[in-house]
Amino acid sequence: MADAVCGEKVGFIGGGNMAFAIASGLLKKGVLQAEQIYVSATNLDNLQKRWSPLGVTHTTVNNEEVLLNAKIVFICVKPQVLPKITGQLRVAMEKDYENTQSTLFVSILAGVTLERLEKDLNLKSHSIVRAMPNTPMQVGVGCTVFSRVDTSSLTDSRYNDVKLMFGALGLAYEVPEGQINAVTGLAGCGPAYVYQFIEALADGGVKQGVPRAMALQLAAQTVMGAAKTVLDTGKHPGVLKDEVCSQGGATIHGVHALEQGSMRGTVMNAVERATKRAEELS
C-alpha cells in the first residue's frame, strides 16, 4: 500500500453522492489510498461504474463485509433506510464482537440524532460521531460540523483520524449537537442555493448577449472570487459590497434590483425551511 496520511481502513455504507464526495476528496488529498476504502450499495453494477475510476475495488452489496474490514465506517444512506441498515449491522456485530467493538461509526444522515443512532445500533455513545458535511468536499473546499456524545471515552486515535479527514477537505468544526440542524440548512444545503445563483447569474449574462459557456465560467469564477475575498480579507460582506458600489454606478442599480426581489429574505427563508426539515427528520 502506498503511504497515506490516515492508516485506517475506511468503509462507506451507501455509495451515493455524499459518500463519493468524501472519498474522492480524501483520495485527491492523499489522506487515503484507494485500497483502504470499502463501499457497499444495493446496485453493484452502478457502484462499480462510479467508484472504479477512483481505483476503489472493494465494492459490495454486503454491508457486513464493509463493517468487518473497516475500522471507521461512514453511514451514508437515506434516513428512512436507517432501521434496515442498523438491524444488519447489529447482527454482524453480535457475530463478531471482538473484531467490531472498536469500530467508529460516522453518520452523515440529516436529522438523525446521536441518541437515535446509539439506540438503533445498540452501541455505547463513544463509538458514534454525527457529522454534516457538504458536497464541495470532493474538491477540497467543503464545510463539516460534527458532534459526539462523550468526548472522554472515544478512542482518541480514530476520532483524531475523523477530524483529520474532515479538516483535510475544508472547514471543520466540532459543535454541540443542537447546532447541526441549523448548519444543515446553511452549509449542508447551501451549495444548492449557490448553484442556483450561479445559474441565474449566467442566464442574466446570456440575456445580455454573453455566450452561454463564457457566461457560466464568468459567473462561477465571480462567485468563487467573491467568496475567497471574504475569507482572505476577513472583511464583512457588507463592507466589500460597498467597496464595489460607486455612486450612481451600475453595481448599485443591480443591488437595488436584488433588494426589490427580496434576495436576502428569500435566502434566509431557505435556510430556515431546510433547518426545520432537518428537525422534522429527527
Side-chain angles (χ1 to χ4, degrees):
M1 181 186 297
D3 290 341
V5 175
C6 173
E8 296 284 8
K9 292 180 180 178
V10 177
F12 294 88
I13 295 178
N17 291 335
M18 200 64 250
F20 187 84
I22 296 171
S24 59
L26 292 173
L27 289 170
K28 290 175 183 176
K29 292 288 185 177
V31 176
L32 294 177
Q33 298 298 322
E35 54 264 38
Q36 293 174 265
I37 296 175
Y38 291 76
V39 57
S40 62
T42 55
N43 189 312
L44 186 59
D45 287 341
N46 289 342
L47 188 64
Q48 291 175 336
K49 287 177 183 176
R50 187 170 196 188
W51 287 72
S52 60
L54 297 180
V56 176
T57 58
H58 301 306
T59 53
T60 178
V61 295
N62 188 341
N63 297 327
E64 182 177 348
E65 184 178 339
V66 173
L67 174 63
L68 296 180
N69 282 283
K71 289 303 181 183
I72 298 173
V73 176
F74 285 82
I75 302 176
C76 305
V77 298
K78 299 295 184 184
Q80 58 267 29
V81 184
L82 182 63
K84 177 181 178 181
I85 299 298
T86 53
Q88 295 171 347
L89 296 180
R90 283 199 309 271
V91 170
M93 287 186 286
E94 290 169 3
K95 287 167 54 179
D96 194 351
Y97 175 77
E98 184 175 349
N99 185 45
T100 60
Q101 64 176 325
S102 61
T103 301
L104 172 60
F105 292 92
V106 183
S107 167
I108 64 165
L109 278 65
V112 178
T113 64
L114 284 166
E115 181 181 10
R116 179 183 168 189
L117 290 163
E118 182 182 9
K119 179 180 178 181
D120 286 359
L121 285 168
N122 194 26
L123 288 175
K124 295 180 180 179
S125 59
H126 68 261
S127 300
I128 310 171
V129 171
R130 178 184 173 190
M132 177 47 59
N134 64 12
T135 53
M137 296 181 80
Q138 63 191 303
V139 292
V141 286
C143 297
T144 307
V145 294
F146 51 94
S147 298
R148 54 177 172 170
V149 174
D150 185 351
T151 59
S152 63
S153 60
L154 186 62
T155 302
D156 284 340
S157 62
R158 297 221 170 106
Y159 184 63
N160 287 335
D161 281 336
V162 170
K163 292 198 291 185
L164 180 151
M165 284 189 271
F166 287 143
L169 300 179
L171 293 177
Y173 295 100
E174 185 171 3
V175 300
E177 187 180 11
Q179 293 182 7
I180 287 186
N181 287 334
V183 175
T184 300
L186 168 64
C189 305
Y193 314 152
V194 178
Y195 297 146
Q196 282 189 293
F197 178 76
I198 291 172
E199 183 182 29
L201 195 61
D203 284 346
V206 171
K207 184 179 179 182
Q208 300 306 312
V210 180
R212 168 69 65 182
M214 182 189 297
L216 185 57
Q217 290 289 310
L218 290 171
Q221 181 77 11
T222 297
V223 170
M224 182 175 71
K228 185 170 175 55
T229 302
V230 172
L231 293 172
D232 287 359
T233 66
K235 292 183 179 179
H236 190 279
V239 172
L240 293 169
K241 179 262 295 178
D242 288 348
E243 291 177 357
V244 183
C245 293
S246 57
Q247 296 177 356
T251 305
I252 192 62
H253 280 73
V255 168
H256 185 200
L258 292 175
E259 291 293 342
Q260 287 177 316
S262 301
M263 185 192 78
R264 287 191 291 183
T266 299
V267 173
M268 292 170 68
N269 287 340
V271 174
E272 182 179 27
R273 290 188 187 182
T275 300
K276 288 181 177 179
R277 180 55 181 161
E279 292 169 351
E280 291 169 0
L281 291 172
S282 300

PDB file of all heavy atoms in Angstrom, residues 249-280:
ATOM      1  N   GLY A 249     -23.522  54.261  -9.940  1.00  0.00           N
ATOM      2  CA  GLY A 249     -22.944  53.313 -10.881  1.00  0.00           C
ATOM      3  C   GLY A 249     -23.840  52.127 -11.205  1.00  0.00           C
ATOM      4  O   GLY A 249     -24.964  51.993 -10.708  1.00  0.00           O
ATOM      5  N   ALA A 250     -23.294  51.236 -12.030  1.00  0.00           N
ATOM      6  CA  ALA A 250     -24.070  50.071 -12.478  1.00  0.00           C
ATOM      7  C   ALA A 250     -24.348  49.103 -11.327  1.00  0.00           C
ATOM      8  O   ALA A 250     -25.439  48.533 -11.225  1.00  0.00           O
ATOM      9  CB  ALA A 250     -23.317  49.351 -13.598  1.00  0.00           C
ATOM     10  N   THR A 251     -23.350  48.914 -10.435  1.00  0.00           N
ATOM     11  CA  THR A 251     -23.499  47.903  -9.386  1.00  0.00           C
ATOM     12  C   THR A 251     -24.631  48.240  -8.429  1.00  0.00           C
ATOM     13  O   THR A 251     -25.430  47.366  -8.066  1.00  0.00           O
ATOM     14  CB  THR A 251     -22.183  47.740  -8.592  1.00  0.00           C
ATOM     15  OG1 THR A 251     -21.122  47.459  -9.490  1.00  0.00           O
ATOM     16  CG2 THR A 251     -22.310  46.607  -7.588  1.00  0.00           C
ATOM     17  N   ILE A 252     -24.726  49.501  -8.001  1.00  0.00           N
ATOM     18  CA  ILE A 252     -25.771  49.856  -7.043  1.00  0.00           C
ATOM     19  C   ILE A 252     -27.157  49.709  -7.669  1.00  0.00           C
ATOM     20  O   ILE A 252     -28.130  49.373  -6.982  1.00  0.00           O
ATOM     21  CB  ILE A 252     -25.550  51.278  -6.478  1.00  0.00           C
ATOM     22  CG1 ILE A 252     -26.457  51.527  -5.268  1.00  0.00           C
ATOM     23  CG2 ILE A 252     -25.770  52.327  -7.560  1.00  0.00           C
ATOM     24  CD1 ILE A 252     -26.189  50.603  -4.096  1.00  0.00           C
ATOM     25  N   HIS A 253     -27.245  49.905  -8.969  1.00  0.00           N
ATOM     26  CA  HIS A 253     -28.529  49.670  -9.640  1.00  0.00           C
ATOM     27  C   HIS A 253     -28.868  48.179  -9.629  1.00  0.00           C
ATOM     28  O   HIS A 253     -30.029  47.796  -9.435  1.00  0.00           O
ATOM     29  CB  HIS A 253     -28.479  50.192 -11.083  1.00  0.00           C
ATOM     30  CG  HIS A 253     -28.678  51.673 -11.205  1.00  0.00           C
ATOM     31  ND1 HIS A 253     -27.707  52.589 -10.839  1.00  0.00           N
ATOM     32  CD2 HIS A 253     -29.742  52.399 -11.643  1.00  0.00           C
ATOM     33  CE1 HIS A 253     -28.160  53.814 -11.060  1.00  0.00           C
ATOM     34  NE2 HIS A 253     -29.397  53.732 -11.540  1.00  0.00           N
ATOM     35  N   GLY A 254     -27.856  47.341  -9.829  1.00  0.00           N
ATOM     36  CA  GLY A 254     -28.092  45.908  -9.749  1.00  0.00           C
ATOM     37  C   GLY A 254     -28.454  45.462  -8.346  1.00  0.00           C
ATOM     38  O   GLY A 254     -29.351  44.622  -8.149  1.00  0.00           O
ATOM     39  N   VAL A 255     -27.770  46.010  -7.336  1.00  0.00           N
ATOM     40  CA  VAL A 255     -28.078  45.682  -5.943  1.00  0.00           C
ATOM     41  C   VAL A 255     -29.509  46.084  -5.599  1.00  0.00           C
ATOM     42  O   VAL A 255     -30.229  45.354  -4.897  1.00  0.00           O
ATOM     43  CB  VAL A 255     -27.068  46.374  -5.003  1.00  0.00           C
ATOM     44  CG1 VAL A 255     -27.536  46.301  -3.550  1.00  0.00           C
ATOM     45  CG2 VAL A 255     -25.690  45.733  -5.142  1.00  0.00           C
ATOM     46  N   HIS A 256     -29.938  47.243  -6.109  1.00  0.00           N
ATOM     47  CA  HIS A 256     -31.312  47.682  -5.881  1.00  0.00           C
ATOM     48  C   HIS A 256     -32.307  46.658  -6.434  1.00  0.00           C
ATOM     49  O   HIS A 256     -33.314  46.336  -5.789  1.00  0.00           O
ATOM     50  CB  HIS A 256     -31.534  49.047  -6.539  1.00  0.00           C
ATOM     51  CG  HIS A 256     -32.880  49.634  -6.267  1.00  0.00           C
ATOM     52  ND1 HIS A 256     -33.438  50.618  -7.066  1.00  0.00           N
ATOM     53  CD2 HIS A 256     -33.796  49.361  -5.307  1.00  0.00           C
ATOM     54  CE1 HIS A 256     -34.629  50.944  -6.588  1.00  0.00           C
ATOM     55  NE2 HIS A 256     -34.867  50.193  -5.516  1.00  0.00           N
ATOM     56  N   ALA A 257     -32.025  46.140  -7.620  1.00  0.00           N
ATOM     57  CA  ALA A 257     -32.909  45.138  -8.208  1.00  0.00           C
ATOM     58  C   ALA A 257     -32.982  43.876  -7.335  1.00  0.00           C
ATOM     59  O   ALA A 257     -34.049  43.275  -7.161  1.00  0.00           O
ATOM     60  CB  ALA A 257     -32.441  44.786  -9.616  1.00  0.00           C
ATOM     61  N   LEU A 258     -31.841  43.464  -6.773  1.00  0.00           N
ATOM     62  CA  LEU A 258     -31.842  42.304  -5.883  1.00  0.00           C
ATOM     63  C   LEU A 258     -32.667  42.575  -4.633  1.00  0.00           C
ATOM     64  O   LEU A 258     -33.398  41.700  -4.151  1.00  0.00           O
ATOM     65  CB  LEU A 258     -30.408  41.938  -5.488  1.00  0.00           C
ATOM     66  CG  LEU A 258     -29.509  41.399  -6.602  1.00  0.00           C
ATOM     67  CD1 LEU A 258     -28.087  41.203  -6.079  1.00  0.00           C
ATOM     68  CD2 LEU A 258     -30.048  40.088  -7.159  1.00  0.00           C
ATOM     69  N   GLU A 259     -32.560  43.779  -4.083  1.00  0.00           N
ATOM     70  CA  GLU A 259     -33.352  44.126  -2.913  1.00  0.00           C
ATOM     71  C   GLU A 259     -34.842  44.143  -3.237  1.00  0.00           C
ATOM     72  O   GLU A 259     -35.667  43.720  -2.430  1.00  0.00           O
ATOM     73  CB  GLU A 259     -32.914  45.492  -2.368  1.00  0.00           C
ATOM     74  CG  GLU A 259     -31.521  45.507  -1.755  1.00  0.00           C
ATOM     75  CD  GLU A 259     -31.427  44.688  -0.470  1.00  0.00           C
ATOM     76  OE1 GLU A 259     -32.479  44.390   0.136  1.00  0.00           O
ATOM     77  OE2 GLU A 259     -30.309  44.327  -0.085  1.00  0.00           O
ATOM     78  N   GLN A 260     -35.186  44.625  -4.420  1.00  0.00           N
ATOM     79  CA  GLN A 260     -36.594  44.620  -4.826  1.00  0.00           C
ATOM     80  C   GLN A 260     -37.137  43.190  -4.922  1.00  0.00           C
ATOM     81  O   GLN A 260     -38.320  42.950  -4.681  1.00  0.00           O
ATOM     82  CB  GLN A 260     -36.755  45.329  -6.173  1.00  0.00           C
ATOM     83  CG  GLN A 260     -36.604  46.840  -6.083  1.00  0.00           C
ATOM     84  CD  GLN A 260     -36.688  47.511  -7.445  1.00  0.00           C
ATOM     85  OE1 GLN A 260     -36.092  47.038  -8.418  1.00  0.00           O
ATOM     86  NE2 GLN A 260     -37.403  48.615  -7.517  1.00  0.00           N
ATOM     87  N   GLY A 261     -36.268  42.263  -5.255  1.00  0.00           N
ATOM     88  CA  GLY A 261     -36.671  40.863  -5.331  1.00  0.00           C
ATOM     89  C   GLY A 261     -36.549  40.118  -4.013  1.00  0.00           C
ATOM     90  O   GLY A 261     -36.744  38.895  -3.965  1.00  0.00           O
ATOM     91  N   SER A 262     -36.221  40.842  -2.929  1.00  0.00           N
ATOM     92  CA  SER A 262     -36.101  40.250  -1.586  1.00  0.00           C
ATOM     93  C   SER A 262     -35.101  39.094  -1.554  1.00  0.00           C
ATOM     94  O   SER A 262     -35.356  38.058  -0.947  1.00  0.00           O
ATOM     95  CB  SER A 262     -37.476  39.779  -1.087  1.00  0.00           C
ATOM     96  OG  SER A 262     -38.391  40.840  -1.033  1.00  0.00           O
ATOM     97  N   MET A 263     -33.958  39.267  -2.211  1.00  0.00           N
ATOM     98  CA  MET A 263     -32.996  38.180  -2.277  1.00  0.00           C
ATOM     99  C   MET A 263     -32.536  37.744  -0.892  1.00  0.00           C
ATOM    100  O   MET A 263     -32.509  36.550  -0.574  1.00  0.00           O
ATOM    101  CB  MET A 263     -31.780  38.575  -3.113  1.00  0.00           C
ATOM    102  CG  MET A 263     -30.796  37.423  -3.307  1.00  0.00           C
ATOM    103  SD  MET A 263     -29.192  37.905  -3.991  1.00  0.00           S
ATOM    104  CE  MET A 263     -28.418  38.601  -2.524  1.00  0.00           C
ATOM    105  N   ARG A 264     -32.188  38.691  -0.043  1.00  0.00           N
ATOM    106  CA  ARG A 264     -31.675  38.317   1.277  1.00  0.00           C
ATOM    107  C   ARG A 264     -32.743  37.612   2.108  1.00  0.00           C
ATOM    108  O   ARG A 264     -32.468  36.597   2.767  1.00  0.00           O
ATOM    109  CB  ARG A 264     -31.144  39.550   2.011  1.00  0.00           C
ATOM    110  CG  ARG A 264     -29.821  40.035   1.425  1.00  0.00           C
ATOM    111  CD  ARG A 264     -29.155  41.075   2.300  1.00  0.00           C
ATOM    112  NE  ARG A 264     -29.902  42.336   2.302  1.00  0.00           N
ATOM    113  CZ  ARG A 264     -29.502  43.426   2.952  1.00  0.00           C
ATOM    114  NH1 ARG A 264     -28.386  43.402   3.653  1.00  0.00           N
ATOM    115  NH2 ARG A 264     -30.205  44.535   2.899  1.00  0.00           N
ATOM    116  N   GLY A 265     -33.948  38.129   2.061  1.00  0.00           N
ATOM    117  CA  GLY A 265     -35.036  37.490   2.803  1.00  0.00           C
ATOM    118  C   GLY A 265     -35.345  36.098   2.277  1.00  0.00           C
ATOM    119  O   GLY A 265     -35.618  35.169   3.046  1.00  0.00           O
ATOM    120  N   THR A 266     -35.266  35.929   0.949  1.00  0.00           N
ATOM    121  CA  THR A 266     -35.525  34.621   0.347  1.00  0.00           C
ATOM    122  C   THR A 266     -34.470  33.606   0.757  1.00  0.00           C
ATOM    123  O   THR A 266     -34.786  32.453   1.076  1.00  0.00           O
ATOM    124  CB  THR A 266     -35.566  34.748  -1.184  1.00  0.00           C
ATOM    125  OG1 THR A 266     -36.628  35.653  -1.554  1.00  0.00           O
ATOM    126  CG2 THR A 266     -35.819  33.397  -1.837  1.00  0.00           C
ATOM    127  N   VAL A 267     -33.202  34.030   0.769  1.00  0.00           N
ATOM    128  CA  VAL A 267     -32.127  33.118   1.173  1.00  0.00           C
ATOM    129  C   VAL A 267     -32.277  32.750   2.646  1.00  0.00           C
ATOM    130  O   VAL A 267     -32.120  31.575   3.027  1.00  0.00           O
ATOM    131  CB  VAL A 267     -30.753  33.757   0.904  1.00  0.00           C
ATOM    132  CG1 VAL A 267     -29.639  32.890   1.490  1.00  0.00           C
ATOM    133  CG2 VAL A 267     -30.537  33.940  -0.595  1.00  0.00           C
ATOM    134  N   MET A 268     -32.590  33.709   3.484  1.00  0.00           N
ATOM    135  CA  MET A 268     -32.810  33.420   4.903  1.00  0.00           C
ATOM    136  C   MET A 268     -33.961  32.450   5.099  1.00  0.00           C
ATOM    137  O   MET A 268     -33.898  31.537   5.940  1.00  0.00           O
ATOM    138  CB  MET A 268     -33.057  34.719   5.669  1.00  0.00           C
ATOM    139  CG  MET A 268     -31.828  35.629   5.765  1.00  0.00           C
ATOM    140  SD  MET A 268     -32.211  37.276   6.428  1.00  0.00           S
ATOM    141  CE  MET A 268     -32.622  36.854   8.119  1.00  0.00           C
ATOM    142  N   ASN A 269     -35.021  32.616   4.310  1.00  0.00           N
ATOM    143  CA  ASN A 269     -36.153  31.698   4.385  1.00  0.00           C
ATOM    144  C   ASN A 269     -35.744  30.291   3.971  1.00  0.00           C
ATOM    145  O   ASN A 269     -36.223  29.290   4.544  1.00  0.00           O
ATOM    146  CB  ASN A 269     -37.287  32.179   3.484  1.00  0.00           C
ATOM    147  CG  ASN A 269     -38.012  33.392   4.043  1.00  0.00           C
ATOM    148  OD1 ASN A 269     -37.935  33.669   5.249  1.00  0.00           O
ATOM    149  ND2 ASN A 269     -38.710  34.125   3.190  1.00  0.00           N
ATOM    150  N   ALA A 270     -34.868  30.187   2.968  1.00  0.00           N
ATOM    151  CA  ALA A 270     -34.407  28.874   2.512  1.00  0.00           C
ATOM    152  C   ALA A 270     -33.654  28.152   3.623  1.00  0.00           C
ATOM    153  O   ALA A 270     -33.870  26.958   3.857  1.00  0.00           O
ATOM    154  CB  ALA A 270     -33.520  29.025   1.276  1.00  0.00           C
ATOM    155  N   VAL A 271     -32.772  28.863   4.325  1.00  0.00           N
ATOM    156  CA  VAL A 271     -32.024  28.265   5.430  1.00  0.00           C
ATOM    157  C   VAL A 271     -32.983  27.828   6.541  1.00  0.00           C
ATOM    158  O   VAL A 271     -32.858  26.733   7.100  1.00  0.00           O
ATOM    159  CB  VAL A 271     -30.978  29.251   5.976  1.00  0.00           C
ATOM    160  CG1 VAL A 271     -30.297  28.677   7.219  1.00  0.00           C
ATOM    161  CG2 VAL A 271     -29.942  29.572   4.905  1.00  0.00           C
ATOM    162  N   GLU A 272     -33.963  28.679   6.831  1.00  0.00           N
ATOM    163  CA  GLU A 272     -34.929  28.358   7.885  1.00  0.00           C
ATOM    164  C   GLU A 272     -35.749  27.117   7.540  1.00  0.00           C
ATOM    165  O   GLU A 272     -35.920  26.218   8.369  1.00  0.00           O
ATOM    166  CB  GLU A 272     -35.857  29.547   8.119  1.00  0.00           C
ATOM    167  CG  GLU A 272     -36.867  29.320   9.240  1.00  0.00           C
ATOM    168  CD  GLU A 272     -37.762  30.522   9.468  1.00  0.00           C
ATOM    169  OE1 GLU A 272     -37.980  31.300   8.508  1.00  0.00           O
ATOM    170  OE2 GLU A 272     -38.264  30.684  10.588  1.00  0.00           O
ATOM    171  N   ARG A 273     -36.227  27.047   6.311  1.00  0.00           N
ATOM    172  CA  ARG A 273     -37.055  25.904   5.919  1.00  0.00           C
ATOM    173  C   ARG A 273     -36.247  24.613   5.893  1.00  0.00           C
ATOM    174  O   ARG A 273     -36.734  23.549   6.291  1.00  0.00           O
ATOM    175  CB  ARG A 273     -37.678  26.152   4.546  1.00  0.00           C
ATOM    176  CG  ARG A 273     -38.747  27.242   4.574  1.00  0.00           C
ATOM    177  CD  ARG A 273     -39.474  27.335   3.245  1.00  0.00           C
ATOM    178  NE  ARG A 273     -40.373  28.480   3.228  1.00  0.00           N
ATOM    179  CZ  ARG A 273     -41.168  28.798   2.196  1.00  0.00           C
ATOM    180  NH1 ARG A 273     -41.143  28.043   1.104  1.00  0.00           N
ATOM    181  NH2 ARG A 273     -41.961  29.832   2.252  1.00  0.00           N
ATOM    182  N   ALA A 274     -35.008  24.686   5.414  1.00  0.00           N
ATOM    183  CA  ALA A 274     -34.160  23.490   5.382  1.00  0.00           C
ATOM    184  C   ALA A 274     -33.839  23.026   6.800  1.00  0.00           C
ATOM    185  O   ALA A 274     -33.803  21.818   7.089  1.00  0.00           O
ATOM    186  CB  ALA A 274     -32.877  23.766   4.606  1.00  0.00           C
ATOM    187  N   THR A 275     -33.613  23.984   7.702  1.00  0.00           N
ATOM    188  CA  THR A 275     -33.347  23.639   9.103  1.00  0.00           C
ATOM    189  C   THR A 275     -34.548  22.942   9.725  1.00  0.00           C
ATOM    190  O   THR A 275     -34.410  21.917  10.401  1.00  0.00           O
ATOM    191  CB  THR A 275     -33.000  24.892   9.911  1.00  0.00           C
ATOM    192  OG1 THR A 275     -31.839  25.510   9.368  1.00  0.00           O
ATOM    193  CG2 THR A 275     -32.760  24.559  11.377  1.00  0.00           C
ATOM    194  N   LYS A 276     -35.744  23.474   9.486  1.00  0.00           N
ATOM    195  CA  LYS A 276     -36.953  22.863  10.035  1.00  0.00           C
ATOM    196  C   LYS A 276     -37.171  21.466   9.472  1.00  0.00           C
ATOM    197  O   LYS A 276     -37.625  20.564  10.186  1.00  0.00           O
ATOM    198  CB  LYS A 276     -38.170  23.749   9.735  1.00  0.00           C
ATOM    199  CG  LYS A 276     -38.196  25.037  10.560  1.00  0.00           C
ATOM    200  CD  LYS A 276     -39.416  25.874  10.267  1.00  0.00           C
ATOM    201  CE  LYS A 276     -39.479  27.115  11.143  1.00  0.00           C
ATOM    202  NZ  LYS A 276     -40.659  27.966  10.839  1.00  0.00           N
ATOM    203  N   ARG A 277     -36.850  21.279   8.196  1.00  0.00           N
ATOM    204  CA  ARG A 277     -36.998  19.952   7.614  1.00  0.00           C
ATOM    205  C   ARG A 277     -36.027  18.955   8.242  1.00  0.00           C
ATOM    206  O   ARG A 277     -36.380  17.801   8.509  1.00  0.00           O
ATOM    207  CB  ARG A 277     -36.771  20.005   6.096  1.00  0.00           C
ATOM    208  CG  ARG A 277     -36.903  18.659   5.398  1.00  0.00           C
ATOM    209  CD  ARG A 277     -38.224  17.999   5.691  1.00  0.00           C
ATOM    210  NE  ARG A 277     -38.345  16.697   5.050  1.00  0.00           N
ATOM    211  CZ  ARG A 277     -39.219  15.755   5.423  1.00  0.00           C
ATOM    212  NH1 ARG A 277     -40.030  15.990   6.441  1.00  0.00           N
ATOM    213  NH2 ARG A 277     -39.258  14.594   4.779  1.00  0.00           N
ATOM    214  N   ALA A 278     -34.808  19.404   8.523  1.00  0.00           N
ATOM    215  CA  ALA A 278     -33.846  18.544   9.206  1.00  0.00           C
ATOM    216  C   ALA A 278     -34.346  18.169  10.593  1.00  0.00           C
ATOM    217  O   ALA A 278     -34.184  17.022  11.046  1.00  0.00           O
ATOM    218  CB  ALA A 278     -32.486  19.232   9.293  1.00  0.00           C
ATOM    219  N   GLU A 279     -34.984  19.125  11.272  1.00  0.00           N
ATOM    220  CA  GLU A 279     -35.562  18.837  12.591  1.00  0.00           C
ATOM    221  C   GLU A 279     -36.699  17.840  12.478  1.00  0.00           C
ATOM    222  O   GLU A 279     -36.842  16.952  13.324  1.00  0.00           O
ATOM    223  CB  GLU A 279     -36.040  20.129  13.231  1.00  0.00           C
ATOM    224  CG  GLU A 279     -34.910  21.088  13.615  1.00  0.00           C
ATOM    225  CD  GLU A 279     -35.400  22.467  14.001  1.00  0.00           C
ATOM    226  OE1 GLU A 279     -36.614  22.754  13.805  1.00  0.00           O
ATOM    227  OE2 GLU A 279     -34.576  23.279  14.481  1.00  0.00           O
ATOM    228  N   GLU A 280     -37.505  17.973  11.432  1.00  0.00           N
ATOM    229  CA  GLU A 280     -38.609  17.030  11.224  1.00  0.00           C
ATOM    230  C   GLU A 280     -38.097  15.602  10.992  1.00  0.00           C
ATOM    231  O   GLU A 280     -38.713  14.634  11.453  1.00  0.00           O
ATOM    232  CB  GLU A 280     -39.461  17.463  10.031  1.00  0.00           C
ATOM    233  CG  GLU A 280     -40.258  18.728  10.259  1.00  0.00           C
ATOM    234  CD  GLU A 280     -40.875  19.278   8.970  1.00  0.00           C
ATOM    235  OE1 GLU A 280     -40.676  18.662   7.899  1.00  0.00           O
ATOM    236  OE2 GLU A 280     -41.552  20.327   9.044  1.00  0.00           O
TER     237      GLU A 280
END
